[in-house]
Amino acid sequence: MNARLYYVHDPMCSWCWGFHKTRERLLEKLPSSIEVVRLLGGLAPDSAEPMPDAMREYLQQTWRRIEQRIPGTSFNFDFWQVCEPRRSTWPACRAVIAARRQGAKYDEVMTYAIQEAYYRRAMNPADEDILVMLAGETGLDQAHFQRELRESAVQEQLQAEMQRGRAMGATSFPSLVLELGGDVWPVAVNYTDEEEMLENIRMLTEE
């Protein structure tokens, strides 16, 4: 039976950043017969408005909670002083799609570059100039990347991935969904223990 594991995420989702190392361990141990498919969730639409103070405080509290819950995860809180935060993650999502169009490997490479910029380097990946800079740092053709970032086809692809994720019940990020013979099954995310998720996947594939 064909099996796919969908990873539904957003590059500016702080819980996705916290899940990074455990997810890597999960994928290393995942049976090679299971195809992994990455989908972008599109957490927050395009916006030029500064982030409200209440949201700024909520997200900083979330960062602190993640640091406490997931050992080894850290955030650079300078971001909140040196950047003008906006509740807008679609630009970063489109950047991952634009990067992917220069080679499948760049999907994950660009995602991680955005996460590092946001959470460790106190940069705002909602800004196009930051995304173009990151494209250059990751070895992409910057001019081509910038053109594609603005293409309607890239936004259409993002919309399609968002709809696909929602159709599978992935309404929060990160989400894992296992597809088996046309049926889909949620796999509960464990932020610190990949073995629990692997056991869940094994049970589903053996039924």
Side-chain angles (χ1 to χ4, degrees):
M1 183 183 296
N2 291 336
R4 291 189 183 91
L5 181 65
Y6 290 90
Y7 172 57
V8 190
H9 69 105
D10 190 294
M12 292 182 69
C13 157
S14 50
W15 286 102
C16 296
W17 171 242
F19 187 46
H20 175 74
K21 291 179 181 177
T22 305
R23 180 184 59 83
E24 282 194 329
R25 294 195 300 270
L26 169 67
L27 297 185
E28 285 171 2
K29 298 177 181 180
L30 195 69
S32 59
S33 58
I34 299 177
E35 178 189 0
V36 178
V37 180
R38 295 166 62 87
L39 293 177
L40 290 154
L43 186 59
D46 295 317
S47 174
E49 296 298 316
M51 189 180 292
D53 289 343
M55 177 61 73
R56 290 169 63 113
E57 181 56 34
Y58 171 78
L59 288 176
Q60 288 177 75
Q61 290 176 0
T62 298
W63 288 13
R64 294 186 186 98
R65 191 160 66 249
I66 293 169
E67 286 185 335
Q68 292 169 357
R69 181 172 169 183
I70 309 173
T73 304
S74 63
F75 295 86
N76 183 350
F77 285 82
D78 288 348
F79 171 83
W80 301 100
Q81 281 71 51
V82 302
C83 295
E84 182 179 59
R86 303 195 310 280
R87 186 67 171 160
S88 181
T89 74
W90 283 11
C93 291
R94 286 193 295 268
V96 173
I97 294 170
R100 183 198 299 160
R101 287 158 75 102
Q102 293 191 41
K105 69 177 183 179
Y106 288 111
D107 184 304
E108 189 155 5
V109 169
M110 191 64 179
T111 298
Y112 189 69
I114 290 168
Q115 290 174 324
E116 280 213 310
Y118 186 20
Y119 298 120
R120 286 184 172 165
R121 300 169 69 184
M123 296 176 176
N124 191 352
D127 296 337
E128 183 178 296
D129 60 339
I130 296 296
L131 296 170
V132 173
M133 181 200 76
L134 295 174
E137 290 182 356
T138 56
L140 291 163
D141 180 325
Q142 278 182 304
H144 185 61
F145 170 85
Q146 188 167 29
R147 286 194 301 273
E148 296 236 308
L149 196 58
R150 299 170 178 174
E151 286 284 339
S152 60
V154 169
Q155 176 61 24
E156 288 166 6
Q157 177 65 29
L158 173 57
Q159 294 284 356
E161 293 187 25
M162 290 164 57
Q163 290 169 8
R164 192 174 184 187
R166 285 195 294 266
M168 293 190 296
T171 56
S172 61
F173 314 116
S175 283
L176 293 170
V177 180
L178 188 68
E179 182 183 44
L180 293 167
D183 294 323
V184 293
W185 306 88
V187 176
V189 171
N190 186 310
Y191 289 96
T192 57
D193 183 7
E194 71 280 6
E195 294 297 337
E196 181 179 293
M197 294 179 286
L198 283 166
E199 181 58 27
N200 193 348
I201 291 167
R202 288 191 195 103
M203 288 174 63
L204 288 168
T205 54
E206 290 170 4
E207 285 182 355

